[in-house]
Amino acid sequence: MARFIEDLADKPHHPEQYSDFKNVLAQIAKHPNERYFILKSIIINNLFGVDIMKEAVEICKLRLFLKLVAQVEKAEQIEPLPDMDFNIRAGNTLVGYATADQVRKAFTEERHSDRQLQGKLMMGEDEDSFKRFEDDMEIVKLAFGQFRRQQITDGGKVTHKDKLDLRKRLTELDAQLDLIIAGEYGITPKGYGSKAAYEQSFIKWKDSHQPFHWFVEFYGIMSAGGFDVIIGNPPYVEYAKVKKDYTVHGYTTESCGNLYAFLTERSFCLLQKEGSFGFIVPISLVCTQRMEVLQNSIARFSNNVWLSNYAERPSKLFVGAEVLLTIVLTRTGIGSANYFTTKFTKWASEERFNLFQRIEYQNIQNKIKPYVINKQSEAIESQIIAKLLNQEKQLGYYFQSNSKYPVYYRIGGGRYWKIFTNFQPQFVLNNTNSVSSRENYLYLEKAELRDVVITLLSSSLFYWYFIMTTNCRDLNPSDLNNYPFQMETMTEKHISLLAQLCKALMIDYKKNSLLKEKTSSLTGAIKYQEFYPRVSKKILDNIDKVLAQHYGFTDEELDFIINYDIKYRVGSTDDENGDDE
């Protein structure tokens, strides 16, 4: 701005040219420094936030205050801090009216007779009730504008009367919508025997649901089409856990059963037509069947969707992130969404400074399952996927309910290897020989088939498939059942080789295993057999070589599989078995 004005000095120009620039520069002079003015302007005019926890709201405001104060060099330069009470708000993001269309429908549609009765009791029979509500909102919008200008142009001086007047207007408008939305939850005068009983029920409902009406609280933004950018780290909470406190209505993602899915859907409702969105969510978004609805919801509003996937060991994205995470980024737009994804990224704490610079995205050409967005970052992986999908059968076709040929494995753990054996691993509970409740079983018809399945599931190929398609932690029955494999097309030579390799692998597992001890407050002292498959890597590589011939992999594809995630898989770790509960 200053350079534009300097350029006018030696040129003929209209006196009002760049007058808006001059006004801004004049305001900067009234503040401690330029950076302080810029940050204060951003905080007041551009940053908004909502959280159901009042404590989180206060902490957020404090952090912003401290950011501003840090720009001041001398104590006497500190000016009145900005009032953020109308920017950073407490309330339930999921309960309330967000858009003009939602409010219009609330006033006009007769979807529920009780609610319609409530609307008439409150607003009268006038069909223009919504128009009157919008007119009131326009007055509030002007008051908001004046409130913000006072803090920038008047040195941060906001009169107490102006703030009270604005709060009063907002409270009155919120109260109207609270009554209507409570009707959607069945809280209506008609449903109670007395006025006192109704009022008591309404207050109880409001306290538990904490409705937040975005259309009212941020009317200027929502009436202009919504927010330009929405970022967040939503709660990773199962809906069933909060249902006793509050319920939600009208979400297409309700079947996903987690609050982060609802918050994601709500965000797209609040965004501009060409807005930007970024959330940190559990990795279940890209690999869980119930999240397919959420995936489709994101795709419906987006042109391109960028998904990066992260482990929590050795290092994690943030303190307290005990779940594996995905960062989803997108811009809203109408069209067929293209998915760009990364591999499952592991990193050490010292690598954090360039973690995101190293991220590489890969356009997903084909999904292994309809609800799985493959965690891949190299084109060669698409080639391998295509060859797997050429198999006409899946592994589950060969499983039986019981047989003389079981395979033993564990559902959880095993971050770097999956352990499958043809023998029961040792397990000692309180010095008494016991059968481990941690083991699960697969049953095959013949010993030959069992050995082939053990080598298949022990391979680096299956580990890659597991990381690509699951939450990278739990081995569910469907992950085994759906693995592409057709025994009938395997040659006798390959079957014989895999049987020999299975025998060698089991001997190696036993030879290199240790009996480890752990004490639990629930079970007491337990001893269990810990395996170290990284020591058996040569045998496992030979298994992958045989499987590569069966699936028709090229030398390059085989090399990729054998060396997949090798840095962590062959490194020294005490988490090979997944005994990290």
Coordinates of all heavy atoms in Angstrom, one line a residue, residues 312-375:
E312 N 1.2 -43.4 14.5 CA 1.5 -42.7 15.8 C 2.7 -43.2 16.4 O 3.1 -42.7 17.5 CB 0.3 -42.9 16.7 CG 0.3 -44.1 17.6 CD 0.0 -45.4 16.9 OE1 0.3 -45.5 15.7 OE2 -0.5 -46.4 17.5
R313 N 3.5 -44.1 15.7 CA 4.8 -44.5 16.2 C 5.7 -44.6 15.0 O 5.3 -45.0 13.9 CB 4.7 -45.9 16.9 CG 4.0 -45.9 18.2 CD 4.2 -47.3 18.8 NE 3.4 -47.3 20.1 CZ 3.4 -48.4 20.9 NH1 4.1 -49.5 20.5 NH2 2.8 -48.4 22.0
P314 N 7.0 -44.2 15.1 CA 7.7 -43.8 16.3 C 7.2 -42.4 16.9 O 7.2 -42.2 18.1 CB 9.1 -43.7 15.9 CG 9.2 -44.5 14.7 CD 7.9 -44.4 14.0
S315 N 6.7 -41.5 16.0 CA 6.3 -40.2 16.4 C 4.8 -40.0 16.0 O 4.3 -40.7 15.1 CB 7.2 -39.1 15.9 OG 6.9 -37.9 16.5
K316 N 4.2 -39.0 16.5 CA 2.7 -38.8 16.2 C 2.5 -37.3 15.9 O 3.4 -36.4 16.2 CB 1.9 -39.2 17.4 CG 2.2 -38.4 18.7 CD 1.4 -38.9 19.9 CE 1.9 -40.3 20.3 NZ 1.3 -40.8 21.6
L317 N 1.4 -37.0 15.2 CA 1.1 -35.7 14.8 C 1.0 -34.7 15.9 O 1.5 -33.5 15.8 CB -0.1 -35.6 13.9 CG 0.0 -36.2 12.5 CD1 -1.4 -36.0 11.8 CD2 1.1 -35.5 11.7
F318 N 0.3 -35.1 17.0 CA 0.2 -34.2 18.2 C 0.1 -35.0 19.4 O -0.4 -36.2 19.4 CB -1.0 -33.2 18.0 CG -2.3 -33.8 17.8 CD1 -3.1 -34.2 18.8 CD2 -2.8 -34.0 16.5 CE1 -4.3 -34.8 18.6 CE2 -4.0 -34.6 16.3 CZ -4.8 -35.0 17.4
V319 N 0.4 -34.4 20.5 CA 0.3 -35.1 21.8 C -1.1 -35.5 22.1 O -2.0 -34.6 21.9 CB 0.9 -34.1 23.0 CG1 0.7 -34.8 24.3 CG2 2.3 -33.8 22.7
G320 N -1.3 -36.7 22.5 CA -2.7 -37.2 22.8 C -3.3 -37.9 21.6 O -4.4 -38.5 21.8
A321 N -2.6 -37.9 20.5 CA -3.2 -38.6 19.3 C -2.8 -40.0 19.3 O -1.8 -40.5 18.7 CB -2.6 -37.9 18.0
E322 N -3.6 -40.8 20.1 CA -3.3 -42.2 20.2 C -4.0 -43.0 19.1 O -3.8 -44.3 19.1 CB -3.8 -42.7 21.6 CG -3.1 -42.0 22.8 CD -1.6 -42.1 22.7 OE1 -1.1 -43.2 22.3 OE2 -0.9 -41.2 23.2
V323 N -4.7 -42.4 18.2 CA -5.2 -43.1 17.1 C -4.4 -42.7 15.8 O -3.8 -41.7 15.8 CB -6.7 -42.7 16.9 CG1 -7.6 -43.2 18.1 CG2 -6.9 -41.2 16.6
L324 N -4.5 -43.6 14.9 CA -3.8 -43.3 13.6 C -4.7 -42.3 12.9 O -5.9 -42.3 12.9 CB -3.7 -44.6 12.8 CG -3.1 -45.8 13.5 CD1 -3.1 -47.0 12.7 CD2 -1.7 -45.4 13.9
L325 N -4.0 -41.4 12.1 CA -4.7 -40.2 11.6 C -4.6 -40.0 10.1 O -3.6 -40.5 9.5 CB -4.2 -38.9 12.3 CG -4.4 -38.9 13.9 CD1 -3.6 -37.7 14.5 CD2 -5.8 -38.7 14.2
T326 N -5.6 -39.3 9.6 CA -5.6 -38.9 8.2 C -5.9 -37.4 8.2 O -6.8 -36.9 8.9 CB -6.7 -39.6 7.4 OG1 -6.3 -41.0 7.3 CG2 -6.8 -39.1 6.0
I327 N -5.1 -36.7 7.4 CA -5.4 -35.2 7.1 C -6.2 -35.2 5.8 O -5.6 -35.6 4.8 CB -4.2 -34.4 7.1 CG1 -3.5 -34.4 8.5 CG2 -4.5 -32.9 6.7 CD1 -2.2 -33.6 8.6
V328 N -7.4 -34.7 5.8 CA -8.1 -34.5 4.6 C -8.2 -33.1 4.2 O -8.6 -32.2 5.0 CB -9.6 -35.1 4.7 CG1 -10.3 -34.6 5.9 CG2 -10.4 -34.9 3.4
L329 N -7.8 -32.8 2.9 CA -7.9 -31.4 2.4 C -8.7 -31.4 1.1 O -8.5 -32.3 0.3 CB -6.4 -30.9 2.1 CG -5.4 -30.9 3.2 CD1 -4.0 -30.6 2.7 CD2 -5.8 -29.9 4.3
T330 N -9.5 -30.4 0.9 CA -10.2 -30.3 -0.3 C -10.7 -28.8 -0.5 O -10.7 -28.0 0.4 CB -11.4 -31.3 -0.3 OG1 -12.1 -31.2 -1.6 CG2 -12.4 -30.9 0.8
R331 N -11.1 -28.6 -1.7 CA -11.9 -27.3 -2.0 C -13.2 -27.7 -2.6 O -13.3 -28.7 -3.4 CB -11.1 -26.5 -3.1 CG -10.0 -25.7 -2.4 CD -9.3 -24.8 -3.5 NE -10.1 -23.8 -4.0 CZ -10.4 -22.6 -3.4 NH1 -9.9 -22.4 -2.2 NH2 -11.2 -21.7 -4.0
T332 N -14.2 -27.0 -2.1 CA -15.6 -27.3 -2.6 C -15.8 -27.0 -4.1 O -15.2 -26.1 -4.6 CB -16.6 -26.6 -1.8 OG1 -16.3 -25.2 -1.7 CG2 -16.7 -27.1 -0.3
G333 N -16.6 -27.8 -4.7 CA -16.8 -27.6 -6.1 C -17.7 -28.8 -6.6 O -17.7 -29.8 -6.0
I334 N -18.4 -28.5 -7.7 CA -19.3 -29.5 -8.2 C -18.5 -30.3 -9.3 O -17.9 -29.8 -10.2 CB -20.5 -28.9 -8.9 CG1 -21.3 -28.0 -7.9 CG2 -21.4 -30.0 -9.4 CD1 -21.7 -28.8 -6.7
G335 N -18.6 -31.6 -9.2 CA -17.8 -32.5 -10.1 C -17.6 -33.8 -9.6 O -17.9 -34.1 -8.4
S336 N -16.9 -34.6 -10.4 CA -16.5 -36.0 -9.9 C -15.2 -35.9 -9.2 O -14.2 -35.5 -9.8 CB -16.4 -36.9 -11.1 OG -16.0 -38.2 -10.7
A337 N -15.2 -36.2 -7.9 CA -14.0 -36.1 -7.1 C -12.9 -37.0 -7.5 O -13.2 -38.2 -7.7 CB -14.4 -36.2 -5.6
N338 N -11.7 -36.5 -7.6 CA -10.5 -37.3 -7.8 C -9.8 -37.5 -6.4 O -9.7 -36.5 -5.7 CB -9.6 -36.7 -8.8 CG -10.1 -36.7 -10.2 OD1 -10.5 -37.7 -10.7 ND2 -10.1 -35.5 -10.9
Y339 N -9.4 -38.7 -6.1 CA -8.7 -38.9 -4.8 C -7.2 -38.9 -5.0 O -6.7 -39.6 -5.9 CB -9.2 -40.3 -4.2 CG -10.6 -40.2 -3.7 CD1 -11.6 -40.9 -4.3 CD2 -10.9 -39.6 -2.5 CE1 -12.9 -41.0 -3.8 CE2 -12.2 -39.6 -2.0 CZ -13.2 -40.3 -2.7 OH -14.5 -40.3 -2.2
F340 N -6.5 -38.2 -4.2 CA -5.1 -38.2 -4.2 C -4.7 -38.6 -2.7 O -5.1 -38.0 -1.8 CB -4.5 -36.9 -4.5 CG -4.8 -36.4 -5.9 CD1 -6.0 -35.8 -6.2 CD2 -3.9 -36.7 -7.0 CE1 -6.3 -35.4 -7.5 CE2 -4.2 -36.3 -8.3 CZ -5.4 -35.6 -8.5
T341 N -3.8 -39.6 -2.6 CA -3.5 -40.1 -1.3 C -2.1 -40.4 -1.1 O -1.3 -40.4 -2.1 CB -4.3 -41.4 -1.1 OG1 -4.1 -41.9 0.3 CG2 -3.9 -42.5 -2.0
T342 N -1.6 -40.6 0.1 CA -0.3 -40.9 0.4 C -0.2 -42.3 1.0 O -1.2 -42.9 1.3 CB 0.3 -39.9 1.5 OG1 -0.3 -40.2 2.8 CG2 0.0 -38.5 1.1
K343 N 1.1 -42.8 1.1 CA 1.3 -44.0 1.8 C 1.0 -43.8 3.3 O 0.7 -42.7 3.8 CB 2.8 -44.5 1.7 CG 3.8 -43.5 2.3 CD 5.2 -44.0 2.1 CE 6.2 -43.1 2.8 NZ 7.6 -43.5 2.6
F344 N 1.1 -44.9 4.1 CA 1.0 -44.8 5.5 C 2.4 -44.3 6.1 O 3.3 -45.0 6.0 CB 0.7 -46.2 6.1 CG 0.4 -46.2 7.6 CD1 -0.4 -45.3 8.2 CD2 1.1 -47.1 8.3 CE1 -0.6 -45.4 9.6 CE2 0.9 -47.2 9.7 CZ 0.0 -46.3 10.3
T345 N 2.4 -43.1 6.5 CA 3.7 -42.4 6.8 C 4.1 -42.6 8.3 O 3.4 -42.3 9.2 CB 3.6 -40.9 6.5 OG1 3.1 -40.7 5.2 CG2 4.9 -40.2 6.7
K346 N 5.3 -43.1 8.4 CA 5.9 -43.2 9.7 C 7.2 -42.3 9.8 O 7.9 -42.2 8.8 CB 6.4 -44.7 10.0 CG 5.2 -45.7 10.0 CD 5.7 -47.1 10.0 CE 4.6 -48.1 9.8 NZ 5.1 -49.5 9.6
W347 N 7.4 -41.8 10.9 CA 8.6 -40.9 11.0 C 9.0 -40.7 12.4 O 8.3 -41.0 13.4 CB 8.3 -39.5 10.4 CG 7.4 -38.6 11.4 CD1 7.9 -37.6 12.2 CD2 6.0 -38.7 11.6 NE1 6.8 -37.1 12.9 CE2 5.7 -37.7 12.6 CE3 5.0 -39.5 11.1 CZ2 4.4 -37.5 13.0 CZ3 3.7 -39.3 11.6 CH2 3.4 -38.3 12.5
A348 N 10.3 -40.4 12.6 CA 10.9 -40.2 13.9 C 10.7 -38.7 14.3 O 10.5 -37.8 13.4 CB 12.3 -40.6 14.0
S349 N 10.8 -38.4 15.6 CA 10.5 -37.0 16.0 C 11.4 -36.0 15.4 O 11.0 -34.9 15.1 CB 10.6 -36.9 17.6 OG 11.9 -37.4 18.0
E350 N 12.7 -36.4 15.1 CA 13.6 -35.4 14.5 C 13.3 -35.1 13.1 O 13.9 -34.2 12.5 CB 15.1 -36.0 14.6 CG 15.3 -37.3 14.0 CD 15.1 -38.5 14.9 OE1 14.4 -38.3 16.0 OE2 15.7 -39.6 14.7
E351 N 12.4 -35.9 12.5 CA 12.0 -35.7 11.1 C 10.8 -34.7 10.9 O 10.4 -34.4 9.8 CB 11.7 -37.0 10.4 CG 12.8 -38.0 10.3 CD 12.4 -39.3 9.8 OE1 12.4 -39.5 8.5 OE2 12.0 -40.2 10.6
R352 N 10.3 -34.3 12.1 CA 9.0 -33.5 12.0 C 9.2 -32.2 11.2 O 8.3 -31.8 10.5 CB 8.6 -33.2 13.5 CG 7.4 -32.2 13.5 CD 7.0 -31.9 15.0 NE 6.4 -33.1 15.6 CZ 5.1 -33.4 15.5 NH1 4.3 -32.7 14.8 NH2 4.6 -34.5 16.1
F353 N 10.4 -31.6 11.3 CA 10.5 -30.3 10.7 C 10.3 -30.3 9.1 O 9.9 -29.3 8.5 CB 11.9 -29.7 11.0 CG 13.0 -30.4 10.2 CD1 13.5 -29.8 9.0 CD2 13.6 -31.6 10.6 CE1 14.5 -30.4 8.3 CE2 14.6 -32.2 9.9 CZ 15.1 -31.6 8.7
N354 N 10.5 -31.5 8.5 CA 10.3 -31.6 7.1 C 9.3 -32.7 6.7 O 9.3 -33.2 5.6 CB 11.6 -31.8 6.3 CG 12.2 -33.1 6.6 OD1 11.8 -33.8 7.5 ND2 13.1 -33.6 5.7
L355 N 8.4 -33.0 7.7 CA 7.5 -34.1 7.5 C 6.6 -33.8 6.3 O 6.4 -34.7 5.4 CB 6.6 -34.3 8.7 CG 5.5 -35.3 8.6 CD1 6.0 -36.7 8.3 CD2 4.6 -35.3 9.9
F356 N 6.0 -32.7 6.2 CA 5.0 -32.4 5.2 C 5.7 -32.1 3.8 O 5.1 -32.3 2.8 CB 4.1 -31.2 5.6 CG 3.3 -31.6 6.8 CD1 3.4 -30.8 7.9 CD2 2.4 -32.6 6.8 CE1 2.6 -31.1 9.1 CE2 1.6 -32.9 7.9 CZ 1.7 -32.2 9.0
Q357 N 6.9 -31.6 3.9 CA 7.6 -31.4 2.6 C 7.9 -32.7 1.9 O 8.1 -32.7 0.7 CB 9.0 -30.6 2.8 CG 8.8 -29.2 3.2 CD 8.6 -29.0 4.7 OE1 8.2 -29.9 5.4 NE2 8.9 -27.8 5.2
R358 N 8.0 -33.8 2.6 CA 8.3 -35.1 2.0 C 7.1 -35.9 1.6 O 7.2 -36.9 0.9 CB 9.1 -35.9 3.1 CG 10.4 -35.4 3.5 CD 11.2 -36.4 4.3 NE 10.6 -36.6 5.6 CZ 10.1 -37.8 6.0 NH1 10.0 -38.8 5.1 NH2 9.6 -37.9 7.2
I359 N 5.9 -35.4 1.9 CA 4.7 -36.1 1.5 C 4.5 -36.1 0.0 O 4.7 -35.1 -0.7 CB 3.5 -35.4 2.2 CG1 3.5 -35.6 3.7 CG2 2.2 -35.9 1.6 CD1 3.4 -37.1 4.1
E360 N 4.2 -37.3 -0.6 CA 4.0 -37.4 -2.0 C 2.6 -38.0 -2.2 O 2.3 -39.1 -1.6 CB 5.0 -38.3 -2.6 CG 6.4 -37.7 -2.6 CD 7.5 -38.6 -3.3 OE1 7.0 -39.6 -3.9 OE2 8.6 -38.2 -3.3
Y361 N 1.8 -37.4 -3.0 CA 0.4 -37.9 -3.3 C 0.4 -38.7 -4.6 O 1.2 -38.5 -5.5 CB -0.5 -36.7 -3.4 CG -0.8 -36.0 -2.1 CD1 -0.1 -34.9 -1.7 CD2 -1.9 -36.5 -1.3 CE1 -0.4 -34.3 -0.5 CE2 -2.2 -35.8 -0.1 CZ -1.4 -34.7 0.3 OH -1.7 -34.1 1.5
Q362 N -0.5 -39.7 -4.6 CA -0.7 -40.5 -5.8 C -2.2 -40.5 -6.1 O -3.0 -40.7 -5.2 CB -0.2 -41.9 -5.5 CG -0.4 -42.9 -6.6 CD 0.5 -42.6 -7.8 OE1 1.6 -42.1 -7.6 NE2 0.1 -42.9 -9.0
N363 N -2.5 -40.3 -7.4 CA -3.9 -40.3 -7.8 C -4.4 -41.8 -7.8 O -3.7 -42.7 -8.4 CB -4.0 -39.8 -9.2 CG -5.4 -39.6 -9.7 OD1 -5.7 -39.7 -10.9 ND2 -6.4 -39.5 -8.8
I364 N -5.5 -42.0 -7.1 CA -6.0 -43.4 -7.0 C -6.7 -43.8 -8.3 O -7.7 -43.2 -8.7 CB -7.0 -43.5 -5.8 CG1 -6.3 -43.2 -4.5 CG2 -7.6 -44.9 -5.8 CD1 -5.1 -44.2 -4.2
Q365 N -6.2 -44.8 -9.0 CA -6.8 -45.3 -10.2 C -7.9 -46.3 -10.0 O -8.9 -46.3 -10.7 CB -5.7 -45.9 -11.1 CG -4.6 -44.9 -11.5 CD -5.1 -43.7 -12.3 OE1 -6.0 -43.9 -13.1 NE2 -4.5 -42.6 -12.0
N366 N -7.7 -47.2 -9.0 CA -8.7 -48.2 -8.7 C -8.7 -48.6 -7.3 O -7.6 -48.7 -6.7 CB -8.5 -49.5 -9.6 CG -7.0 -50.0 -9.5 OD1 -6.2 -49.5 -8.8 ND2 -6.7 -51.0 -10.3
K367 N -9.9 -48.7 -6.7 CA -10.0 -49.1 -5.3 C -10.0 -50.6 -5.1 O -10.6 -51.3 -5.9 CB -11.3 -48.5 -4.7 CG -11.3 -47.0 -4.5 CD -12.7 -46.6 -3.9 CE -12.7 -45.2 -3.5 NZ -13.9 -44.8 -2.8
I368 N -9.4 -51.1 -4.1 CA -9.4 -52.5 -3.8 C -10.8 -52.9 -3.3 O -11.3 -54.0 -3.6 CB -8.4 -52.9 -2.7 CG1 -7.0 -52.7 -3.3 CG2 -8.5 -54.3 -2.3 CD1 -5.8 -53.0 -2.4
K369 N -11.4 -52.0 -2.5 CA -12.8 -52.2 -2.0 C -13.5 -50.9 -2.2 O -12.9 -49.8 -2.2 CB -12.8 -52.6 -0.5 CG -12.0 -53.9 -0.2 CD -12.0 -54.1 1.3 CE -11.1 -55.3 1.6 NZ -11.0 -55.5 3.1
P370 N -14.9 -50.9 -2.3 CA -15.6 -49.7 -2.5 C -15.4 -48.6 -1.4 O -15.4 -47.4 -1.7 CB -17.1 -50.1 -2.6 CG -17.0 -51.6 -2.9 CD -15.8 -52.1 -2.4
Y371 N -15.2 -49.1 -0.2 CA -15.1 -48.1 0.9 C -13.6 -47.9 1.3 O -13.4 -47.2 2.3 CB -15.8 -48.6 2.1 CG -15.4 -50.0 2.6 CD1 -14.4 -50.2 3.5 CD2 -16.1 -51.2 2.1 CE1 -14.0 -51.4 3.9 CE2 -15.7 -52.4 2.6 CZ -14.7 -52.6 3.5 OH -14.3 -53.8 3.9
V372 N -12.7 -48.4 0.5 CA -11.3 -48.2 0.9 C -10.6 -47.2 -0.1 O -10.7 -47.4 -1.3 CB -10.5 -49.5 0.8 CG1 -9.0 -49.3 0.9 CG2 -11.0 -50.4 2.0
I373 N -10.0 -46.2 0.4 CA -9.2 -45.3 -0.4 C -7.8 -45.7 -0.1 O -7.2 -45.4 1.0 CB -9.4 -43.8 0.0 CG1 -10.9 -43.4 -0.2 CG2 -8.6 -42.9 -0.8 CD1 -11.3 -42.1 0.4
N374 N -7.2 -46.4 -1.1 CA -5.9 -47.0 -0.9 C -4.8 -46.0 -0.3 O -4.7 -44.9 -0.8 CB -5.4 -47.6 -2.2 CG -6.4 -48.3 -3.0 OD1 -7.4 -48.8 -2.4 ND2 -6.3 -48.4 -4.3
K375 N -4.0 -46.5 0.6 CA -2.9 -45.7 1.2 C -1.7 -46.0 0.4 O -0.9 -46.8 0.7 CB -2.7 -46.0 2.7 CG -3.9 -45.6 3.5 CD -3.7 -45.8 5.0 CE -3.8 -47.3 5.4 NZ -5.2 -47.8 5.2

